[in-house]
Amino acid sequence: ILLYRVLDLTFKQTLWQKIFGVGSVILTTADKSTPVLEIKNIKTPDRVRKALSTLVEMRRDEKRVTGKEMFGFHGKACGALP
């Protein structure tokens, strides 16, 4: 997955994940082959999410990609179902 194609980053923790100090980071992308990627059971998921968010923004700046280029005609993400 190309970092500049990431549309949203979230993290979640189940009760058991919280007990063990891990969680999941979920990436929603404009990639047709992998529209959603969940990275499970990682330490400090919120910190990882924030670091990934920073990297995504840096990559978008490098590629000069704007938000409107990531969306189709009707405001839906590229590859989204009608």
Side-chain angles (χ1 to χ4, degrees):
I1 295 175
L2 300 171
L3 285 178
Y4 69 89
R5 297 189 66 117
V6 174
L7 301 173
D8 189 37
L9 286 159
T10 57
F11 86 97
K12 69 176 185 176
Q13 280 184 307
T14 65
L15 176 61
W16 290 108
Q17 285 177 319
K18 196 173 246 186
I19 290 170
F20 289 105
V22 297
S24 299
V25 175
I26 302 156
L27 290 80
T28 304
T29 73
D31 190 274
K32 289 182 181 180
S33 64
T34 312
V36 177
L37 175 66
E38 184 174 357
I39 307 169
K40 298 179 181 182
N41 299 322
I42 57 173
K43 289 185 178 184
T44 61
D46 191 40
R47 200 161 77 180
V48 171
R49 181 195 59 82
K50 288 176 184 175
L52 278 172
S53 182
T54 300
L55 290 172
V56 166
E57 290 303 318
M58 286 173 43
R59 196 65 176 151
R60 282 185 186 161
D61 290 345
E62 288 172 6
K63 292 281 191 179
R64 295 188 169 103
V65 175
T66 61
K68 65 182 179 184
E69 293 171 344
M70 298 298 293
F71 290 87
F73 178 73
H74 295 291
K76 296 178 182 173
C78 297
L81 298 174

